[in-house]
Amino acid sequence: MGTPGGAPSPPSPPSPLSLLLALALLCPGGSAGGSCPAHCICASNLLSCSQANLSLVPSPLPRFASVLDLSHNNVSRLRGDWSPARLPHLHTLLLSHNGLAFVSTEAFAAVPRLRHLDLSNNRLRALDENLFSDLGELEVLLLYNNEISSVDRTAFENLGRLRKLYLGRNRIARFPLELLREGSRLPRLALLDLSANRLRAVPAGELQALPAWLRDRLYLHDNPLGCDCALFQLLARGRRRRLSAVLDFQEELTCHLPGSPHASVAILELAGRQPLNCSEAREAVLEAHLGDSVTLGCDSRWQDGSRHWVTPAGDRVMPGDGGGNGTAALLANGSLELRALRAEDAGTYACWVAGPLLNETLYVELLVHNFTLHGPHDTLNTAYTTLVGCILSVVLVLIYLYLTPCRCCCCRAAEKAPAPRDDSINSSVLSTTPNHDGGHGEPRPAPGGGPGQNGRFKGGGGTPPPAAPRGPKGQRKVSDPDSVSSVFSDTPIVV
């Protein structure tokens, strides 16, 4: 049919399926490695068996196959012998929309070079022990929209090259933190989707310690999370840093307030809201002391890219550069190491990152304290002073118990009032009896007012304590407040 101007209309472009069929006709028999299975379309090293109503994987499969599409079929069980022959070139296997409920732990022994595995939209309920351990080169694993509620800790063993793991829309109730810890099972993981599961809590503190390039692709939306301020601060930092997992799903990042399990609120709206009344925490503030050595991290969204630092004095620290004062050095991971801190090293440091899409600047505020006022040295001095005070107290008690001048009962009968000695040290430290007895058994006041032992103030004109009553108990004498019994009072010991 022509156009309104009478010119013939251009031919419509061929569909991808017609191109695939045309390529299949050019090589209908495949190659010496095998033939194209029935109900499948083969185009060079691509095999499409999608929507063929298959209940079993067709066999034999050509050894030269690199992509195998088995999606939208009825393959409910994937046994270890689904491919009798080894497929050394297969790097993509698509098994979505099959009602798959069982996968053998030996199912992937025949495809060790697999890099992309799609098991999404099936009925898997558990990821068993060492399920994917034969896939040492796997980079992308899709497991979303299943019924997974149990994940064995070793299910992802040996996946040292895995970069993207999609576990969204399942029934996972425990956060698999071991998948994210740096240097653990998945050292190259850069995306983890846990959205739309049954997570009620996440380890916000440990997640905040993860590098920003991993938090940028950690998806937690559509989970029944409980509201707390640690979770709010984690996401607030992500919004301030413009992390994709937070910015793209702000409305879906909700939580349940305490006492309201059915009412959800946006996590990023918890600032100043009762009953939690959360506040945003300051980011990238580091405290140190004079003479310390510290390392300032450059927590960028870009895992790769060139980095350099700018000090508060305006000096640039480049790779291999010692810095303006010779105490700053740029480490291989992009962090800045500062040695032998001085007071002038305090201030705001800027890390400049040249990323693949845009540049990013991060700021770290460094506070340098004088160790005589703050820091671990004061803690040590306080502990030392307390220890010395305790030892001195024990020594004084032992002296009082075992070195008393008179220990016999007969001495008590012949006890005489001691002569007044105003300069006696023993009477004020080692004795529990009054150190200045008057003629009638009443303590004599100090000659003048002034500070007493342990900082107590003795008033010069203070009222003396009342005389002890006579009788069987009339011989009890009032103990001096400056005696050894005061060691156990609430007055601190000054050493």
Side-chain angles (χ1 to χ4, degrees):
M1 179 181 299
T3 59
S9 60
S12 59
S15 63
L17 181 59
S18 61
L19 289 177
L20 192 63
L21 291 174
L23 291 174
L25 294 176
L26 293 178
C27 50
S31 65
S35 58
C36 186
H39 308 291
C40 298
I41 298 176
C42 302
S44 182
N45 56 353
L46 309 178
L47 275 71
S48 176
C49 306
S50 179
Q51 299 180 355
N53 199 26
L54 299 175
S55 58
L56 296 173
V57 179
S59 181
L61 294 171
R63 296 184 68 253
F64 60 83
S66 63
V67 177
L68 175 58
D69 184 3
L70 291 168
S71 60
H72 296 276
N73 281 292
N74 300 314
V75 182
S76 60
R77 301 175 68 85
L78 192 67
R79 301 182 180 274
D81 57 351
W82 66 273
S83 177
R86 190 179 179 91
L87 302 176
H89 303 288
L90 192 69
H91 60 73
T92 301
L93 176 60
L94 309 178
L95 282 165
S96 62
H97 297 278
N98 268 280
L100 195 62
F102 171 78
V103 177
S104 171
T105 55
E106 302 176 355
F108 306 108
V111 287
R113 308 297 297 274
L114 209 61
R115 298 197 303 270
H116 186 106
L117 176 60
D118 186 358
L119 296 174
S120 63
N121 296 284
N122 283 295
R123 296 179 181 175
L124 297 175
R125 296 185 177 181
L127 301 180
D128 297 328
E129 181 180 2
N130 296 315
L131 180 59
F132 305 105
S133 59
D134 292 324
L135 301 177
E137 298 185 12
L138 192 65
E139 297 179 2
V140 180
L141 177 57
L142 288 79
L143 291 164
Y144 63 87
N145 201 22
N146 275 276
E147 301 173 6
I148 300 172
S149 60
S150 174
V151 180
D152 190 89
R153 290 181 177 271
T154 64
F156 303 101
E157 287 284 353
N158 301 328
L159 299 185
R161 297 187 179 182
L162 189 66
R163 297 185 297 107
K164 299 180 180 180
L165 176 58
Y166 296 86
L167 288 167
R169 297 195 174 276
N170 279 286
R171 301 176 181 177
I172 301 174
R174 185 190 70 84
F175 188 90
L177 184 62
E178 63 274 6
L179 301 181
L180 297 176
R181 288 194 177 100
E182 189 173 356
S184 61
R185 293 178 176 85
L186 306 177
R188 297 189 181 181
L189 188 65
L191 185 151
L192 176 59
D193 180 13
L194 290 170
S195 61
N197 273 279
R198 298 181 178 179
L199 299 176
R200 297 187 178 274
V202 296
E206 297 189 62
L207 295 182
Q208 179 58 38
L210 296 174
W213 56 264
L214 180 52
R215 284 183 282 120
D216 190 35
R217 295 291 186 271
L218 175 59
Y219 298 95
L220 298 172
H221 56 277
D222 287 331
N223 274 286
L225 297 169
C227 296
D228 60 67
C229 291
L231 177 62
F232 164 75
Q233 292 173 359
L234 172 68
L235 298 181
R237 288 189 179 103
R239 178 176 59 181
R240 190 163 54 247
R241 296 289 308 279
R242 305 190 62 81
L243 301 184
S244 300
V246 178
L247 288 182
D248 296 343
F249 298 94
Q250 294 189 56
E251 297 180 357
E252 290 84 359
L253 284 166
T254 60
C255 63
H256 299 280
L257 289 170
S260 304
H262 303 293
S264 60
V265 297
I267 298 176
L268 293 173
E269 296 179 0
L270 291 178
R273 180 167 182 168
Q274 298 297 334
L276 297 179
N277 196 21
C278 300
S279 61
E280 293 193 24
R282 298 176 65 188
E283 186 178 11
V285 177
L286 185 64
E287 298 188 23
H289 303 85
L290 293 177
D292 288 350
S293 295
V294 297
T295 301
L296 310 182
C298 188
D299 190 22
S300 173
R301 287 179 293 169
W302 313 117
Q303 186 176 7
D304 301 319
S306 60
R307 288 169 165 81
H308 73 272
W309 286 80
V310 178
T311 68
D315 299 325
R316 300 182 65 180
V317 183
M318 307 293 293
D321 186 7
N325 53 26
T327 61
L330 184 62
L331 303 180
N333 61 357
S335 301
L336 181 66
E337 182 183 28
L338 300 175
R339 299 178 296 272
L341 287 178
R342 306 170 302 171
E344 53 267 30
D345 291 331
T348 302
Y349 291 75
C351 178
W352 298 73
V353 184
L357 300 178
L358 52 86
N359 297 333
E360 185 177 19
T361 306
L362 307 175
Y363 298 96
V364 180
E365 182 181 355
L366 177 63
L367 306 178
V368 180
H369 299 296
N370 189 334
F371 70 87
T372 59
L373 300 177
H374 307 279
H377 305 281
D378 292 332
T379 304
L380 178 62
N381 291 338
T382 302
Y384 177 76
T385 303
T386 305
L387 178 62
V388 172
C390 293
I391 295 176
L392 180 60
S393 302
V394 173
V395 171
L396 292 176
V397 171
L398 292 178
I399 291 175
Y400 168 72
L401 293 177
Y402 295 101
L403 297 182
T404 305
C406 181
R407 298 178 56 84
C408 57
C409 58
C410 61
C411 295
R412 295 182 180 273
E415 182 179 5
K416 297 181 180 180
R421 290 186 300 171
D422 295 338
D423 58 345
S424 173
I425 298 179
N426 297 330
S427 63
S428 63
V429 176
L430 302 180
S431 175
T432 59
T433 60
N435 40 0
H436 302 292
D437 288 345
H440 300 284
E442 297 185 22
R444 295 168 54 187
Q453 184 182 358
N454 292 342
R456 293 184 177 179
F457 185 86
K458 293 184 177 180
T463 303
R470 299 183 181 273
K473 298 183 180 180
Q475 299 300 324
R476 175 180 296 178
K477 299 181 179 182
V478 180
S479 60
D480 186 76
D482 291 332
S483 66
V484 69
S485 61
S486 65
V487 173
F488 298 97
S489 68
D490 58 350
T491 307
I493 299 173
V494 180
V495 178

PDB file of all heavy atoms in Angstrom, residues 27 56 75 96 144 172 198 206 215 260 384 431 441 463 477 481:
ATOM      1  N   CYS A  27      21.808 -23.260   8.676  1.00  0.00           N
ATOM      2  CA  CYS A  27      22.586 -24.345   9.278  1.00  0.00           C
ATOM      3  C   CYS A  27      21.650 -25.293  10.011  1.00  0.00           C
ATOM      4  O   CYS A  27      21.626 -25.358  11.234  1.00  0.00           O
ATOM      5  CB  CYS A  27      23.635 -23.785  10.251  1.00  0.00           C
ATOM      6  SG  CYS A  27      22.963 -22.607  11.446  1.00  0.00           S
ATOM      7  N   LEU A  56      10.731 -32.030  30.005  1.00  0.00           N
ATOM      8  CA  LEU A  56      12.113 -32.451  30.206  1.00  0.00           C
ATOM      9  C   LEU A  56      13.012 -31.641  29.286  1.00  0.00           C
ATOM     10  O   LEU A  56      12.586 -31.166  28.229  1.00  0.00           O
ATOM     11  CB  LEU A  56      12.285 -33.950  29.909  1.00  0.00           C
ATOM     12  CG  LEU A  56      11.527 -34.933  30.815  1.00  0.00           C
ATOM     13  CD1 LEU A  56      11.680 -36.355  30.279  1.00  0.00           C
ATOM     14  CD2 LEU A  56      12.038 -34.844  32.245  1.00  0.00           C
ATOM     15  N   VAL A  75       9.295 -27.697  32.955  1.00  0.00           N
ATOM     16  CA  VAL A  75      10.389 -28.466  33.540  1.00  0.00           C
ATOM     17  C   VAL A  75      10.364 -28.208  35.051  1.00  0.00           C
ATOM     18  O   VAL A  75      10.896 -27.208  35.540  1.00  0.00           O
ATOM     19  CB  VAL A  75      11.740 -28.057  32.931  1.00  0.00           C
ATOM     20  CG1 VAL A  75      12.865 -28.907  33.508  1.00  0.00           C
ATOM     21  CG2 VAL A  75      11.699 -28.190  31.413  1.00  0.00           C
ATOM     22  N   SER A  96      13.500 -19.680  33.470  1.00  0.00           N
ATOM     23  CA  SER A  96      12.401 -18.989  34.151  1.00  0.00           C
ATOM     24  C   SER A  96      11.053 -19.496  33.655  1.00  0.00           C
ATOM     25  O   SER A  96      10.938 -20.052  32.551  1.00  0.00           O
ATOM     26  CB  SER A  96      12.512 -17.484  33.916  1.00  0.00           C
ATOM     27  OG  SER A  96      12.396 -17.183  32.538  1.00  0.00           O
ATOM     28  N   TYR A 144      14.625 -14.277  41.696  1.00  0.00           N
ATOM     29  CA  TYR A 144      13.480 -13.527  42.181  1.00  0.00           C
ATOM     30  C   TYR A 144      12.169 -14.216  41.823  1.00  0.00           C
ATOM     31  O   TYR A 144      12.100 -15.025  40.895  1.00  0.00           O
ATOM     32  CB  TYR A 144      13.500 -12.090  41.645  1.00  0.00           C
ATOM     33  CG  TYR A 144      13.386 -11.957  40.144  1.00  0.00           C
ATOM     34  CD1 TYR A 144      12.146 -11.900  39.514  1.00  0.00           C
ATOM     35  CD2 TYR A 144      14.528 -11.860  39.350  1.00  0.00           C
ATOM     36  CE1 TYR A 144      12.037 -11.775  38.148  1.00  0.00           C
ATOM     37  CE2 TYR A 144      14.438 -11.731  37.973  1.00  0.00           C
ATOM     38  CZ  TYR A 144      13.186 -11.680  37.382  1.00  0.00           C
ATOM     39  OH  TYR A 144      13.094 -11.563  36.011  1.00  0.00           O
ATOM     40  N   ILE A 172      12.100 -14.695  52.390  1.00  0.00           N
ATOM     41  CA  ILE A 172      13.290 -14.682  53.250  1.00  0.00           C
ATOM     42  C   ILE A 172      13.020 -13.780  54.450  1.00  0.00           C
ATOM     43  O   ILE A 172      12.648 -12.612  54.298  1.00  0.00           O
ATOM     44  CB  ILE A 172      14.516 -14.196  52.459  1.00  0.00           C
ATOM     45  CG1 ILE A 172      14.768 -15.117  51.265  1.00  0.00           C
ATOM     46  CG2 ILE A 172      15.738 -14.116  53.345  1.00  0.00           C
ATOM     47  CD1 ILE A 172      15.859 -14.640  50.336  1.00  0.00           C
ATOM     48  N   ARG A 198      10.385 -10.921  53.612  1.00  0.00           N
ATOM     49  CA  ARG A 198       9.737 -10.864  54.927  1.00  0.00           C
ATOM     50  C   ARG A 198      10.706 -10.399  56.002  1.00  0.00           C
ATOM     51  O   ARG A 198      10.627 -10.832  57.156  1.00  0.00           O
ATOM     52  CB  ARG A 198       9.144 -12.236  55.282  1.00  0.00           C
ATOM     53  CG  ARG A 198       8.061 -12.678  54.304  1.00  0.00           C
ATOM     54  CD  ARG A 198       7.456 -14.016  54.680  1.00  0.00           C
ATOM     55  NE  ARG A 198       6.391 -14.403  53.758  1.00  0.00           N
ATOM     56  CZ  ARG A 198       5.695 -15.543  53.837  1.00  0.00           C
ATOM     57  NH1 ARG A 198       5.963 -16.400  54.816  1.00  0.00           N
ATOM     58  NH2 ARG A 198       4.754 -15.814  52.965  1.00  0.00           N
ATOM     59  N   GLU A 206      26.047  -2.542  60.709  1.00  0.00           N
ATOM     60  CA  GLU A 206      27.004  -3.256  59.859  1.00  0.00           C
ATOM     61  C   GLU A 206      26.815  -2.905  58.391  1.00  0.00           C
ATOM     62  O   GLU A 206      27.777  -2.902  57.624  1.00  0.00           O
ATOM     63  CB  GLU A 206      26.869  -4.762  60.085  1.00  0.00           C
ATOM     64  CG  GLU A 206      27.200  -5.194  61.502  1.00  0.00           C
ATOM     65  CD  GLU A 206      27.270  -6.698  61.646  1.00  0.00           C
ATOM     66  OE1 GLU A 206      28.117  -7.326  61.005  1.00  0.00           O
ATOM     67  OE2 GLU A 206      26.447  -7.236  62.413  1.00  0.00           O
ATOM     68  N   ARG A 215      26.435  -0.390  48.925  1.00  0.00           N
ATOM     69  CA  ARG A 215      25.161   0.120  49.431  1.00  0.00           C
ATOM     70  C   ARG A 215      24.347   0.789  48.331  1.00  0.00           C
ATOM     71  O   ARG A 215      23.126   0.902  48.437  1.00  0.00           O
ATOM     72  CB  ARG A 215      25.418   1.109  50.567  1.00  0.00           C
ATOM     73  CG  ARG A 215      25.807   0.437  51.879  1.00  0.00           C
ATOM     74  CD  ARG A 215      25.981   1.451  52.993  1.00  0.00           C
ATOM     75  NE  ARG A 215      27.245   2.155  52.906  1.00  0.00           N
ATOM     76  CZ  ARG A 215      27.361   3.462  52.772  1.00  0.00           C
ATOM     77  NH1 ARG A 215      26.274   4.212  52.681  1.00  0.00           N
ATOM     78  NH2 ARG A 215      28.552   4.030  52.724  1.00  0.00           N
ATOM     79  N   SER A 260       2.136  -0.319  66.300  1.00  0.00           N
ATOM     80  CA  SER A 260       1.249  -0.216  65.128  1.00  0.00           C
ATOM     81  C   SER A 260       1.734  -1.166  64.048  1.00  0.00           C
ATOM     82  O   SER A 260       2.331  -0.748  63.048  1.00  0.00           O
ATOM     83  CB  SER A 260       1.213   1.227  64.602  1.00  0.00           C
ATOM     84  OG  SER A 260       0.817   2.120  65.609  1.00  0.00           O
ATOM     85  N   TYR A 384      44.930   4.277  86.718  1.00  0.00           N
ATOM     86  CA  TYR A 384      46.112   4.142  87.563  1.00  0.00           C
ATOM     87  C   TYR A 384      45.874   4.772  88.930  1.00  0.00           C
ATOM     88  O   TYR A 384      46.227   4.199  89.970  1.00  0.00           O
ATOM     89  CB  TYR A 384      47.310   4.780  86.870  1.00  0.00           C
ATOM     90  CG  TYR A 384      48.586   4.769  87.689  1.00  0.00           C
ATOM     91  CD1 TYR A 384      49.326   3.597  87.829  1.00  0.00           C
ATOM     92  CD2 TYR A 384      49.027   5.921  88.327  1.00  0.00           C
ATOM     93  CE1 TYR A 384      50.482   3.584  88.579  1.00  0.00           C
ATOM     94  CE2 TYR A 384      50.175   5.916  89.078  1.00  0.00           C
ATOM     95  CZ  TYR A 384      50.918   4.742  89.207  1.00  0.00           C
ATOM     96  OH  TYR A 384      52.051   4.723  89.954  1.00  0.00           O
ATOM     97  N   SER A 431      44.492   5.697 113.744  1.00  0.00           N
ATOM     98  CA  SER A 431      43.691   5.443 114.937  1.00  0.00           C
ATOM     99  C   SER A 431      42.253   5.735 114.662  1.00  0.00           C
ATOM    100  O   SER A 431      41.906   6.681 113.971  1.00  0.00           O
ATOM    101  CB  SER A 431      44.183   6.321 116.100  1.00  0.00           C
ATOM    102  OG  SER A 431      43.356   6.179 117.219  1.00  0.00           O
ATOM    103  N   GLY A 441      36.823  13.922 128.002  1.00  0.00           N
ATOM    104  CA  GLY A 441      36.564  12.909 126.974  1.00  0.00           C
ATOM    105  C   GLY A 441      35.913  13.444 125.741  1.00  0.00           C
ATOM    106  O   GLY A 441      35.424  12.675 124.935  1.00  0.00           O
ATOM    107  N   THR A 463      30.688  23.329 116.094  1.00  0.00           N
ATOM    108  CA  THR A 463      30.108  22.815 117.339  1.00  0.00           C
ATOM    109  C   THR A 463      30.622  21.424 117.586  1.00  0.00           C
ATOM    110  O   THR A 463      30.524  20.554 116.719  1.00  0.00           O
ATOM    111  CB  THR A 463      28.580  22.791 117.231  1.00  0.00           C
ATOM    112  OG1 THR A 463      28.139  24.103 116.922  1.00  0.00           O
ATOM    113  CG2 THR A 463      27.948  22.315 118.517  1.00  0.00           C
ATOM    114  N   LYS A 477      33.928   5.795 122.174  1.00  0.00           N
ATOM    115  CA  LYS A 477      34.398   7.125 121.813  1.00  0.00           C
ATOM    116  C   LYS A 477      34.053   7.436 120.375  1.00  0.00           C
ATOM    117  O   LYS A 477      34.015   6.562 119.542  1.00  0.00           O
ATOM    118  CB  LYS A 477      35.912   7.218 122.015  1.00  0.00           C
ATOM    119  CG  LYS A 477      36.327   6.982 123.465  1.00  0.00           C
ATOM    120  CD  LYS A 477      37.812   7.115 123.626  1.00  0.00           C
ATOM    121  CE  LYS A 477      38.213   6.907 125.074  1.00  0.00           C
ATOM    122  NZ  LYS A 477      39.676   7.073 125.263  1.00  0.00           N
ATOM    123  N   PRO A 481      36.577  11.732 112.035  1.00  0.00           N
ATOM    124  CA  PRO A 481      36.239  11.596 110.602  1.00  0.00           C
ATOM    125  C   PRO A 481      37.449  11.532 109.722  1.00  0.00           C
ATOM    126  O   PRO A 481      37.349  11.165 108.565  1.00  0.00           O
ATOM    127  CB  PRO A 481      35.408  12.850 110.314  1.00  0.00           C
ATOM    128  CG  PRO A 481      35.813  13.822 111.358  1.00  0.00           C
ATOM    129  CD  PRO A 481      36.104  13.014 112.585  1.00  0.00           C
TER     130      PRO A 481
END
